[in-house]
Amino acid sequence: MNESKKIPQKTKAEIDWREIERRMALSRVAIDRIWAPTDEDSQRILIERARTLAQEAVPAESADASIEVIEFSLAHERYAIASEYVRGVDPLDDFTPLPCTPLFVLGIVNVRGEILSVIDLKKFFDLPAHGLTDLNKVIVLESAEMVFGIVADAITGVRRIKRADIQSSLPTLTGIREDYLLGVSTERVVILDAEKLLTDGKLIVQEQVGG
């Protein structure tokens, strides 16, 4: 009898773990590139994250004893404004000057499809010029009746300030700036009265172009 031919058994293919790791690494790189945030998105994410952390860090019963502010620099000085009146922060890439408007009106900007007027607080407060500043951020303020932007050199953070630590004023804060002052922190951060800014008729931009 002829011996039956032995049929070779198929062996399972060995798994190339290195190749799988390489493909996964390439996939992660591709995903990171797709979801990489822009500078504008990063700024907004950081502010929202800081707000969340600030709210979580303060017990509900003590929330009324402090105020959450967005701190920014302007003309080499530190300012802050209550975050409840801040709709967002955007880069100031370009603006269109408006004729027949006060000098403190920088112009109008397009913020995500919405045309807003922008105020230069340095000129509105008649602050002395101390060299060149950046003025590359727009802080959009909003109330039920009004919305406009103010320019800042940089956003330095979001934090809470105890109301008990807010002083009424400083001897150096005089002139029109004093009229829009909520107070000064112990770290000499000037806290602006956002509600007063948003309800002041002088800041309503009405373009009047002669025929």
Side-chain angles (χ1 to χ4, degrees), residues 53-68 159-165:
L53 291 174
Q55 290 172 356
E56 291 176 353
V58 179
E61 62 271 13
S62 63
D64 292 339
S66 63
I67 178 174
E68 184 187 84
R159 64 192 184 94
R160 303 194 76 93
I161 298 177
K162 293 182 180 179
R163 293 185 182 275
D165 293 337

Side-chain angles (χ1 to χ4, degrees), residues 124-125 168-169 173-183 190-197 200 202:
F124 183 68
F125 291 153
S168 58
S169 184
L173 296 175
T174 58
I176 188 173
R177 179 168 49 168
E178 189 177 13
D179 298 335
Y180 299 88
L181 186 68
L182 189 64
V190 179
I191 306 171
L192 300 177
D193 190 336
E195 185 176 3
K196 192 166 185 179
L197 286 169
D200 194 328
K202 291 193 292 291

